[in-house]
């Protein structure tokens, strides 16, 4: 078995973990039949993923993680000025996430009543995403 001999410093490891959630979401959405596009750079428009359907509709998604089991934790708006449709939030400490419409406030509770909760499973996510 291969063994990892690289030790990443905290900022790099955090970036790797966050990117892994983007890949998980890409896999789920692709499996549901969405065309998933990944911008090469997302710093300006703050778009992690773009999804498209056969009718020519496109939706911009930002993927965020929270290092908490507490669903009342606040998520900071780090996409201010970006034209997004949805924010998909994953907990790195528990098996839940939320789908939120893009918002303009500086922060919002993860479990805000306008957000849709999903259990960390593709089928649960699909059902939640269809409600968004």
């Amino acid at each position: 078995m291969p063994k990892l001999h690289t030790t990443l410093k905290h900022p790099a490891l955090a970036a790797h973990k966050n990117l892994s959630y983007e890949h998980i979401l890409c896999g789920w959405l692709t499996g549901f039949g969405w065309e998933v596009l990944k911008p090469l750079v997302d710093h300006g428009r703050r778009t992690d993923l773009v999804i498209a359907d056969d009718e020519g509709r496109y939706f911009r998604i930002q993927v965020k993680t929270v290092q908490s089991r507490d669903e009342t934790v606040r998520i900071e708006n780090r996409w201010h000025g970006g034209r997004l449709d949805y924010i998909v939030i994953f907990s790195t400490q528990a098996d839940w996430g939320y789908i939120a419409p893009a918002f303009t406030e500086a922060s919002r509770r993860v479990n805000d009543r306008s957000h849709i909760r999903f259990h960390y499973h593709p089928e649960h996510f699909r059902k939640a995403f269809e409600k968004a």
Side-chain angles (χ1 to χ4, degrees), residues 4-10 12-13 16:
L4 181 65
H5 294 285
T6 305
T7 303
L8 295 175
K9 294 183 180 175
H10 179 70
L13 183 59
H16 281 235

Side-chain angles (χ1 to χ4, degrees), residues 11-25:
L13 183 59
H16 281 235
K17 286 182 180 179
N18 288 342
L19 188 59
S20 71
Y21 285 95
E22 291 178 25
H23 289 295
I24 289 167
L25 186 57

